[in-house]
Amino acid sequence: MPVILPTGIDVRLSARNSTFTAPTTGLAPSYLQANLIILPSRYASDFRDLCARNPVPCPLIAESSAPGAWSKLNSNLPGITSSRLAPDLDLRRDAPRYNVYHDSSLVKCGVTDIEAEWTDDHVAFVIGCSFSFEAALAEAGLEPRHAAMGRNVPMYRTNIPLCPSGVFTGGTYVVSMRPYRKADIEKVRAITRHYLPTHGECIAWGWSAVVQLGIGDIDSPEWGDAPLTFGGRPLGEREGNEENIPVFWGCGVTPQEAVMRAGLEGTVMAHAPGHMLVLDVKDNEILRTG
């Protein structure tokens, strides 16, 4: 039976008490979902610049109000006050699952809280997530396949380099993928291009894009679940089929990949891919119509 958590605070409270620990795709429709990365304060300035220089995979929507602050965010969204983002918030417990890195190595995967790891020196950054435009796609009759099938979105490393910033060098884009019929791709592009704070329009599509992005095997994502046809077969078996065209977006797992490449010292924490922080702002409030 599907879990029904209709609002952002419903998801956060359920994650906080560990009654919900699964991926958040399809939850709290129309509420803004976000990626989370938490760094020692000495890396905060470089990371802030990394986001500014790479706004497609790393759209920064908020950060901790101060080092060590886990209950209050400062908004980076035009017209959205900090108090509206998530007034009841515990960044240590409000994502369903977390990953923990020490000296750039993954040491804990999928834990339900990071209270023991959090210190007064940590700064949290909140990055837009493409789950936020999935409600709009569903309303247009274009529900993403992973959501319809109760699966996590597949995510892949690519060969697209990030613009470096300070200690963050050598990183590449991570992308999420949703297959669509070739005839629907222009509609998908039109809907998602206005969601700039949550990655915006897709960056590539088509079977040729798999090769161009440096993805070795569409059926073996680095994160999330392997993509399937509606008949339950591996998507790669339908290569060239116009009913199953891979469509790729920038992904907020990119900062975690950048951290791994940067060789950071100390403890870094992040949401587990697909297990997002859900805010109290509606996705239509951040649409850009230019």
Side-chain angles (χ1 to χ4, degrees):
M1 187 173 184
V3 174
I4 299 175
L5 295 170
T7 69
I9 185 61
D10 290 328
V11 178
R12 295 199 305 279
L13 291 178
S14 294
R16 194 179 302 175
N17 62 30
S18 296
T19 59
F20 182 80
T21 59
T24 55
T25 184
L27 294 184
S30 81
Y31 283 85
L32 201 60
Q33 299 205 25
N35 302 271
L36 184 64
I37 187 91
I38 302 155
L39 305 168
S41 63
R42 63 187 177 276
Y43 300 122
S45 180
D46 284 351
F47 185 80
R48 198 175 293 116
D49 288 344
L50 181 77
C51 294
R53 296 173 184 179
N54 300 276
V56 173
C58 306
L60 180 61
I61 61 178
E63 62 181 272
S64 296
S65 59
W70 47 261
S71 63
K72 186 177 180 181
L73 296 170
N74 283 341
S75 174
N76 197 46
L77 292 171
I80 304 295
T81 63
S82 300
S83 61
R84 290 206 43 238
L85 284 174
D88 184 342
L89 178 68
D90 187 339
L91 291 169
R92 307 166 303 171
R93 298 188 292 159
D94 284 1
R97 291 191 182 273
Y98 298 84
N99 288 346
V100 179
Y101 303 84
H102 187 72
D103 293 344
S104 293
S105 295
L106 182 64
V107 294
K108 292 185 180 181
C109 183
V111 296
T112 56
D113 72 77
I114 49 172
E115 288 186 272
E117 290 79 13
W118 187 283
T119 72
D120 289 341
D121 184 54
H122 277 106
V123 178
F125 292 90
V126 180
I127 308 292
C129 172
S130 57
F131 283 1
S132 297
F133 56 58
E134 290 187 345
L137 289 169
E139 287 176 7
L142 297 165
E143 183 179 20
R145 187 174 301 174
H146 67 271
M149 299 179 75
R151 296 170 65 79
N152 198 0
V153 68
M155 294 160 272
Y156 306 84
R157 291 188 181 95
T158 75
N159 56 14
I160 304 174
L162 293 177
C163 183
S165 171
V167 298
F168 296 100
T169 61
T172 60
Y173 275 54
V174 173
V175 294
S176 61
M177 191 281 293
R178 298 158 180 82
Y180 278 100
R181 296 170 57 242
K182 183 178 181 180
D184 290 331
I185 291 175
E186 288 305 313
K187 297 176 188 176
V188 170
R189 294 178 64 196
I191 290 169
T192 60
R193 70 169 52 108
H194 299 296
Y195 288 84
L196 296 183
T198 60
H199 303 299
E201 184 179 351
C202 44
I203 64 169
W205 56 92
W207 285 101
S208 61
V210 177
V211 176
Q212 292 164 359
L213 293 172
I215 296 170
D217 183 358
I218 197 70
D219 294 324
S220 300
E222 279 75 20
W223 302 272
D225 292 329
L228 302 175
T229 68
F230 277 118
R233 300 298 303 165
L235 186 69
E237 293 183 1
R238 298 294 188 268
E239 183 172 353
N241 184 300
E242 294 190 355
E243 299 295 306
N244 293 276
I245 302 294
V247 184
F248 299 95
W249 281 263
C251 177
V253 176
T254 300
Q256 294 191 46
E257 184 72 356
V259 164
M260 295 287 284
R261 299 282 185 95
L264 304 189
E265 297 180 351
T267 299
V268 172
M269 298 158 279
H271 72 288
H275 299 72
M276 318 310 295
L277 178 70
V278 187
L279 305 176
D280 292 336
V281 176
K282 295 290 192 75
D283 54 16
N284 60 11
E285 297 179 72
I286 54 91
L287 284 173
R288 298 188 184 178
T289 56

mmCIF file of all heavy atoms in Angstrom, residues 116-154:
data_model
loop_
_atom_site.group_PDB
_atom_site.id
_atom_site.type_symbol
_atom_site.label_atom_id
_atom_site.label_comp_id
_atom_site.label_asym_id
_atom_site.label_seq_id
_atom_site.Cartn_x
_atom_site.Cartn_y
_atom_site.Cartn_z
ATOM 1 N N ALA A 116 25.104 11.895 15.956
ATOM 2 C CA ALA A 116 26.410 11.638 16.557
ATOM 3 C C ALA A 116 27.539 12.307 15.782
ATOM 4 O O ALA A 116 28.576 12.674 16.364
ATOM 5 C CB ALA A 116 26.660 10.131 16.640
ATOM 6 N N GLU A 117 27.365 12.477 14.473
ATOM 7 C CA GLU A 117 28.413 13.054 13.624
ATOM 8 C C GLU A 117 28.378 14.574 13.578
ATOM 9 O O GLU A 117 29.381 15.220 13.269
ATOM 10 C CB GLU A 117 28.306 12.492 12.200
ATOM 11 C CG GLU A 117 28.681 11.027 12.060
ATOM 12 C CD GLU A 117 27.596 10.070 12.506
ATOM 13 O OE1 GLU A 117 26.439 10.525 12.693
ATOM 14 O OE2 GLU A 117 27.876 8.872 12.671
ATOM 15 N N TRP A 118 27.225 15.174 13.825
ATOM 16 C CA TRP A 118 27.067 16.628 13.693
ATOM 17 C C TRP A 118 27.867 17.347 14.772
ATOM 18 O O TRP A 118 27.878 16.939 15.934
ATOM 19 C CB TRP A 118 25.591 16.997 13.810
ATOM 20 C CG TRP A 118 25.320 18.447 13.513
ATOM 21 C CD1 TRP A 118 25.543 19.505 14.334
ATOM 22 C CD2 TRP A 118 24.804 18.981 12.303
ATOM 23 N NE1 TRP A 118 25.181 20.669 13.714
ATOM 24 C CE2 TRP A 118 24.732 20.381 12.469
ATOM 25 C CE3 TRP A 118 24.377 18.408 11.101
ATOM 26 C CZ2 TRP A 118 24.255 21.225 11.473
ATOM 27 C CZ3 TRP A 118 23.905 19.244 10.110
ATOM 28 C CH2 TRP A 118 23.839 20.635 10.285
ATOM 29 N N THR A 119 28.553 18.433 14.386
ATOM 30 C CA THR A 119 29.300 19.250 15.345
ATOM 31 C C THR A 119 28.941 20.721 15.148
ATOM 32 O O THR A 119 28.289 21.109 14.168
ATOM 33 C CB THR A 119 30.815 19.096 15.156
ATOM 34 O OG1 THR A 119 31.212 19.773 13.944
ATOM 35 C CG2 THR A 119 31.231 17.632 15.087
ATOM 36 N N ASP A 120 29.441 21.545 16.066
ATOM 37 C CA ASP A 120 29.197 22.983 15.982
ATOM 38 C C ASP A 120 29.950 23.638 14.831
ATOM 39 O O ASP A 120 29.751 24.823 14.551
ATOM 40 C CB ASP A 120 29.601 23.666 17.294
ATOM 41 C CG ASP A 120 28.650 23.338 18.440
ATOM 42 O OD1 ASP A 120 27.520 22.894 18.156
ATOM 43 O OD2 ASP A 120 29.049 23.522 19.608
ATOM 44 N N ASP A 121 30.795 22.870 14.153
ATOM 45 C CA ASP A 121 31.572 23.409 13.032
ATOM 46 C C ASP A 121 30.955 23.080 11.671
ATOM 47 O O ASP A 121 31.438 23.541 10.646
ATOM 48 C CB ASP A 121 33.003 22.854 13.089
ATOM 49 C CG ASP A 121 33.901 23.443 12.011
ATOM 50 O OD1 ASP A 121 33.991 24.689 11.918
ATOM 51 O OD2 ASP A 121 34.503 22.658 11.239
ATOM 52 N N HIS A 122 29.877 22.313 11.648
ATOM 53 C CA HIS A 122 29.327 21.881 10.366
ATOM 54 C C HIS A 122 28.376 22.923 9.767
ATOM 55 O O HIS A 122 27.619 23.582 10.484
ATOM 56 C CB HIS A 122 28.599 20.541 10.513
ATOM 57 C CG HIS A 122 29.524 19.375 10.458
ATOM 58 N ND1 HIS A 122 29.873 18.630 11.568
ATOM 59 C CD2 HIS A 122 30.207 18.837 9.407
ATOM 60 C CE1 HIS A 122 30.715 17.677 11.205
ATOM 61 N NE2 HIS A 122 30.931 17.772 9.903
ATOM 62 N N VAL A 123 28.439 23.034 8.436
ATOM 63 C CA VAL A 123 27.557 23.920 7.672
ATOM 64 C C VAL A 123 26.801 23.064 6.656
ATOM 65 O O VAL A 123 27.413 22.293 5.911
ATOM 66 C CB VAL A 123 28.348 25.020 6.936
ATOM 67 C CG1 VAL A 123 27.413 25.887 6.102
ATOM 68 C CG2 VAL A 123 29.120 25.877 7.932
ATOM 69 N N ALA A 124 25.480 23.211 6.643
ATOM 70 C CA ALA A 124 24.632 22.446 5.712
ATOM 71 C C ALA A 124 24.281 23.296 4.497
ATOM 72 O O ALA A 124 23.982 24.492 4.628
ATOM 73 C CB ALA A 124 23.358 21.995 6.417
ATOM 74 N N PHE A 125 24.299 22.672 3.332
ATOM 75 C CA PHE A 125 23.868 23.308 2.091
ATOM 76 C C PHE A 125 22.714 22.502 1.511
ATOM 77 O O PHE A 125 22.766 21.270 1.477
ATOM 78 C CB PHE A 125 25.021 23.373 1.089
ATOM 79 C CG PHE A 125 26.118 24.305 1.494
ATOM 80 C CD1 PHE A 125 27.188 23.849 2.261
ATOM 81 C CD2 PHE A 125 26.083 25.640 1.133
ATOM 82 C CE1 PHE A 125 28.198 24.702 2.651
ATOM 83 C CE2 PHE A 125 27.094 26.515 1.514
ATOM 84 C CZ PHE A 125 28.150 26.040 2.279
ATOM 85 N N VAL A 126 21.684 23.206 1.068
ATOM 86 C CA VAL A 126 20.471 22.595 0.530
ATOM 87 C C VAL A 126 20.422 22.890 -0.965
ATOM 88 O O VAL A 126 20.426 24.062 -1.382
ATOM 89 C CB VAL A 126 19.224 23.135 1.250
ATOM 90 C CG1 VAL A 126 17.963 22.502 0.682
ATOM 91 C CG2 VAL A 126 19.322 22.871 2.753
ATOM 92 N N ILE A 127 20.402 21.840 -1.767
ATOM 93 C CA ILE A 127 20.500 21.923 -3.224
ATOM 94 C C ILE A 127 19.181 21.459 -3.836
ATOM 95 O O ILE A 127 18.598 20.463 -3.407
ATOM 96 C CB ILE A 127 21.648 21.025 -3.745
ATOM 97 C CG1 ILE A 127 22.952 21.316 -3.011
ATOM 98 C CG2 ILE A 127 21.803 21.151 -5.251
ATOM 99 C CD1 ILE A 127 23.557 22.640 -3.271
ATOM 100 N N GLY A 128 18.715 22.163 -4.863
ATOM 101 C CA GLY A 128 17.473 21.786 -5.522
ATOM 102 C C GLY A 128 17.488 20.362 -6.047
ATOM 103 O O GLY A 128 18.534 19.814 -6.398
ATOM 104 N N CYS A 129 16.300 19.751 -6.125
ATOM 105 C CA CYS A 129 16.161 18.345 -6.544
ATOM 106 C C CYS A 129 15.105 18.232 -7.640
ATOM 107 O O CYS A 129 14.037 18.832 -7.547
ATOM 108 C CB CYS A 129 15.763 17.485 -5.345
ATOM 109 S SG CYS A 129 15.334 15.778 -5.780
ATOM 110 N N SER A 130 15.398 17.409 -8.634
ATOM 111 C CA SER A 130 14.473 17.247 -9.754
ATOM 112 C C SER A 130 13.198 16.509 -9.372
ATOM 113 O O SER A 130 12.221 16.533 -10.141
ATOM 114 C CB SER A 130 15.157 16.523 -10.921
ATOM 115 O OG SER A 130 15.652 15.261 -10.510
ATOM 116 N N PHE A 131 13.141 15.856 -8.199
ATOM 117 C CA PHE A 131 11.866 15.298 -7.746
ATOM 118 C C PHE A 131 10.801 16.389 -7.674
ATOM 119 O O PHE A 131 9.604 16.102 -7.757
ATOM 120 C CB PHE A 131 12.013 14.664 -6.362
ATOM 121 C CG PHE A 131 12.679 13.313 -6.348
ATOM 122 C CD1 PHE A 131 13.131 12.706 -7.507
ATOM 123 C CD2 PHE A 131 12.866 12.638 -5.147
ATOM 124 C CE1 PHE A 131 13.747 11.470 -7.490
ATOM 125 C CE2 PHE A 131 13.478 11.387 -5.106
ATOM 126 C CZ PHE A 131 13.918 10.808 -6.280
ATOM 127 N N SER A 132 11.249 17.645 -7.500
ATOM 128 C CA SER A 132 10.300 18.741 -7.301
ATOM 129 C C SER A 132 9.444 19.033 -8.529
ATOM 130 O O SER A 132 8.348 19.575 -8.398
ATOM 131 C CB SER A 132 11.057 20.008 -6.882
ATOM 132 O OG SER A 132 11.716 19.827 -5.647
ATOM 133 N N PHE A 133 9.925 18.718 -9.736
ATOM 134 C CA PHE A 133 9.074 18.971 -10.900
ATOM 135 C C PHE A 133 8.310 17.727 -11.357
ATOM 136 O O PHE A 133 7.571 17.768 -12.345
ATOM 137 C CB PHE A 133 9.850 19.595 -12.070
ATOM 138 C CG PHE A 133 11.055 18.853 -12.562
ATOM 139 C CD1 PHE A 133 10.981 17.542 -13.024
ATOM 140 C CD2 PHE A 133 12.289 19.496 -12.611
ATOM 141 C CE1 PHE A 133 12.081 16.883 -13.511
ATOM 142 C CE2 PHE A 133 13.410 18.838 -13.095
ATOM 143 C CZ PHE A 133 13.305 17.530 -13.542
ATOM 144 N N GLU A 134 8.451 16.627 -10.634
ATOM 145 C CA GLU A 134 7.769 15.406 -11.054
ATOM 146 C C GLU A 134 6.254 15.501 -10.904
ATOM 147 O O GLU A 134 5.508 14.893 -11.683
ATOM 148 C CB GLU A 134 8.315 14.212 -10.285
ATOM 149 C CG GLU A 134 9.735 13.868 -10.698
ATOM 150 C CD GLU A 134 10.276 12.597 -10.083
ATOM 151 O OE1 GLU A 134 9.676 12.097 -9.099
ATOM 152 O OE2 GLU A 134 11.301 12.102 -10.585
ATOM 153 N N ALA A 135 5.767 16.283 -9.925
ATOM 154 C CA ALA A 135 4.323 16.455 -9.790
ATOM 155 C C ALA A 135 3.754 17.165 -11.012
ATOM 156 O O ALA A 135 2.673 16.813 -11.504
ATOM 157 C CB ALA A 135 3.997 17.233 -8.516
ATOM 158 N N ALA A 136 4.489 18.170 -11.514
ATOM 159 C CA ALA A 136 4.034 18.884 -12.706
ATOM 160 C C ALA A 136 4.023 17.964 -13.925
ATOM 161 O O ALA A 136 3.105 18.022 -14.759
ATOM 162 C CB ALA A 136 4.921 20.101 -12.962
ATOM 163 N N LEU A 137 5.021 17.103 -14.042
ATOM 164 C CA LEU A 137 5.029 16.137 -15.138
ATOM 165 C C LEU A 137 3.847 15.178 -15.026
ATOM 166 O O LEU A 137 3.170 14.886 -16.023
ATOM 167 C CB LEU A 137 6.343 15.354 -15.133
ATOM 168 C CG LEU A 137 7.597 16.127 -15.554
ATOM 169 C CD1 LEU A 137 8.862 15.327 -15.242
ATOM 170 C CD2 LEU A 137 7.547 16.480 -17.040
ATOM 171 N N ALA A 138 3.583 14.705 -13.809
ATOM 172 C CA ALA A 138 2.465 13.774 -13.618
ATOM 173 C C ALA A 138 1.136 14.439 -13.959
ATOM 174 O O ALA A 138 0.252 13.823 -14.574
ATOM 175 C CB ALA A 138 2.458 13.266 -12.181
ATOM 176 N N GLU A 139 0.979 15.706 -13.567
ATOM 177 C CA GLU A 139 -0.268 16.415 -13.865
ATOM 178 C C GLU A 139 -0.487 16.565 -15.369
ATOM 179 O O GLU A 139 -1.627 16.643 -15.830
ATOM 180 C CB GLU A 139 -0.247 17.790 -13.210
ATOM 181 C CG GLU A 139 -0.419 17.754 -11.696
ATOM 182 C CD GLU A 139 -0.287 19.122 -11.068
ATOM 183 O OE1 GLU A 139 -0.189 20.124 -11.831
ATOM 184 O OE2 GLU A 139 -0.278 19.212 -9.829
ATOM 185 N N ALA A 140 0.599 16.587 -16.125
ATOM 186 C CA ALA A 140 0.514 16.697 -17.585
ATOM 187 C C ALA A 140 0.400 15.333 -18.259
ATOM 188 O O ALA A 140 0.479 15.238 -19.485
ATOM 189 C CB ALA A 140 1.736 17.442 -18.113
ATOM 190 N N GLY A 141 0.213 14.281 -17.473
ATOM 191 C CA GLY A 141 0.120 12.940 -18.036
ATOM 192 C C GLY A 141 1.461 12.340 -18.388
ATOM 193 O O GLY A 141 1.538 11.395 -19.179
ATOM 194 N N LEU A 142 2.546 12.870 -17.764
ATOM 195 C CA LEU A 142 3.903 12.429 -18.078
ATOM 196 C C LEU A 142 4.609 11.956 -16.802
ATOM 197 O O LEU A 142 5.763 12.271 -16.555
ATOM 198 C CB LEU A 142 4.683 13.580 -18.720
ATOM 199 C CG LEU A 142 4.134 14.087 -20.061
ATOM 200 C CD1 LEU A 142 4.752 15.431 -20.414
ATOM 201 C CD2 LEU A 142 4.379 13.071 -21.167
ATOM 202 N N GLU A 143 3.915 11.167 -15.995
ATOM 203 C CA GLU A 143 4.502 10.702 -14.742
ATOM 204 C C GLU A 143 5.800 9.947 -15.019
ATOM 205 O O GLU A 143 5.849 9.051 -15.861
ATOM 206 C CB GLU A 143 3.540 9.785 -13.994
ATOM 207 C CG GLU A 143 4.073 9.327 -12.656
ATOM 208 C CD GLU A 143 3.104 8.435 -11.896
ATOM 209 O OE1 GLU A 143 2.196 7.854 -12.537
ATOM 210 O OE2 GLU A 143 3.263 8.306 -10.666
ATOM 211 N N PRO A 144 6.881 10.317 -14.323
ATOM 212 C CA PRO A 144 8.137 9.577 -14.521
ATOM 213 C C PRO A 144 7.962 8.091 -14.230
ATOM 214 O O PRO A 144 7.252 7.703 -13.302
ATOM 215 C CB PRO A 144 9.087 10.241 -13.514
ATOM 216 C CG PRO A 144 8.543 11.621 -13.349
ATOM 217 C CD PRO A 144 7.048 11.459 -13.425
ATOM 218 N N ARG A 145 8.629 7.284 -15.015
ATOM 219 C CA ARG A 145 8.419 5.842 -14.934
ATOM 220 C C ARG A 145 8.809 5.263 -13.579
ATOM 221 O O ARG A 145 8.114 4.406 -13.037
ATOM 222 C CB ARG A 145 9.200 5.140 -16.046
ATOM 223 C CG ARG A 145 8.911 3.653 -16.132
ATOM 224 C CD ARG A 145 9.591 3.036 -17.341
ATOM 225 N NE ARG A 145 9.147 3.673 -18.572
ATOM 226 C CZ ARG A 145 9.665 3.416 -19.768
ATOM 227 N NH1 ARG A 145 10.630 2.521 -19.886
ATOM 228 N NH2 ARG A 145 9.216 4.038 -20.845
ATOM 229 N N HIS A 146 9.925 5.751 -13.011
ATOM 230 C CA HIS A 146 10.340 5.191 -11.720
ATOM 231 C C HIS A 146 9.279 5.451 -10.657
ATOM 232 O O HIS A 146 9.040 4.599 -9.795
ATOM 233 C CB HIS A 146 11.691 5.770 -11.286
ATOM 234 C CG HIS A 146 11.650 7.223 -10.961
ATOM 235 N ND1 HIS A 146 11.847 8.200 -11.909
ATOM 236 C CD2 HIS A 146 11.417 7.879 -9.794
ATOM 237 C CE1 HIS A 146 11.752 9.379 -11.341
ATOM 238 N NE2 HIS A 146 11.480 9.221 -10.069
ATOM 239 N N ALA A 147 8.626 6.623 -10.723
ATOM 240 C CA ALA A 147 7.579 6.936 -9.749
ATOM 241 C C ALA A 147 6.367 6.026 -9.951
ATOM 242 O O ALA A 147 5.789 5.506 -8.986
ATOM 243 C CB ALA A 147 7.186 8.408 -9.860
ATOM 244 N N ALA A 148 5.988 5.825 -11.200
ATOM 245 C CA ALA A 148 4.838 4.979 -11.493
ATOM 246 C C ALA A 148 5.079 3.533 -11.062
ATOM 247 O O ALA A 148 4.132 2.822 -10.697
ATOM 248 C CB ALA A 148 4.525 5.031 -12.992
ATOM 249 N N MET A 149 6.344 3.115 -11.080
ATOM 250 C CA MET A 149 6.675 1.730 -10.745
ATOM 251 C C MET A 149 7.152 1.564 -9.301
ATOM 252 O O MET A 149 7.534 0.466 -8.896
ATOM 253 C CB MET A 149 7.747 1.212 -11.713
ATOM 254 C CG MET A 149 7.304 1.209 -13.167
ATOM 255 S SD MET A 149 8.567 0.620 -14.325
ATOM 256 C CE MET A 149 8.509 -1.160 -14.003
ATOM 257 N N GLY A 150 7.133 2.658 -8.513
ATOM 258 C CA GLY A 150 7.547 2.575 -7.123
ATOM 259 C C GLY A 150 9.034 2.314 -6.937
ATOM 260 O O GLY A 150 9.438 1.636 -5.995
ATOM 261 N N ARG A 151 9.857 2.877 -7.825
ATOM 262 C CA ARG A 151 11.299 2.661 -7.776
ATOM 263 C C ARG A 151 12.022 3.991 -7.583
ATOM 264 O O ARG A 151 11.427 5.065 -7.706
ATOM 265 C CB ARG A 151 11.772 1.975 -9.066
ATOM 266 C CG ARG A 151 11.186 0.581 -9.236
ATOM 267 C CD ARG A 151 11.463 -0.007 -10.620
ATOM 268 N NE ARG A 151 12.871 -0.240 -10.877
ATOM 269 C CZ ARG A 151 13.559 -1.283 -10.422
ATOM 270 N NH1 ARG A 151 12.974 -2.197 -9.659
ATOM 271 N NH2 ARG A 151 14.836 -1.435 -10.726
ATOM 272 N N ASN A 152 13.311 3.919 -7.275
ATOM 273 C CA ASN A 152 14.139 5.114 -7.153
ATOM 274 C C ASN A 152 14.657 5.493 -8.534
ATOM 275 O O ASN A 152 14.877 4.632 -9.390
ATOM 276 C CB ASN A 152 15.308 4.855 -6.195
ATOM 277 C CG ASN A 152 15.950 6.130 -5.675
ATOM 278 O OD1 ASN A 152 15.540 7.232 -6.021
ATOM 279 N ND2 ASN A 152 16.961 5.980 -4.830
ATOM 280 N N VAL A 153 14.864 6.783 -8.743
ATOM 281 C CA VAL A 153 15.354 7.259 -10.032
ATOM 282 C C VAL A 153 16.799 6.781 -10.240
ATOM 283 O O VAL A 153 17.600 6.779 -9.302
ATOM 284 C CB VAL A 153 15.261 8.800 -10.109
ATOM 285 C CG1 VAL A 153 16.230 9.465 -9.148
ATOM 286 C CG2 VAL A 153 15.465 9.303 -11.525
ATOM 287 N N PRO A 154 17.167 6.345 -11.443
ATOM 288 C CA PRO A 154 18.564 5.983 -11.693
ATOM 289 C C PRO A 154 19.436 7.220 -11.872
ATOM 290 O O PRO A 154 19.015 8.215 -12.473
ATOM 291 C CB PRO A 154 18.495 5.161 -12.987
ATOM 292 C CG PRO A 154 17.243 5.609 -13.667
ATOM 293 C CD PRO A 154 16.296 6.038 -12.591
#
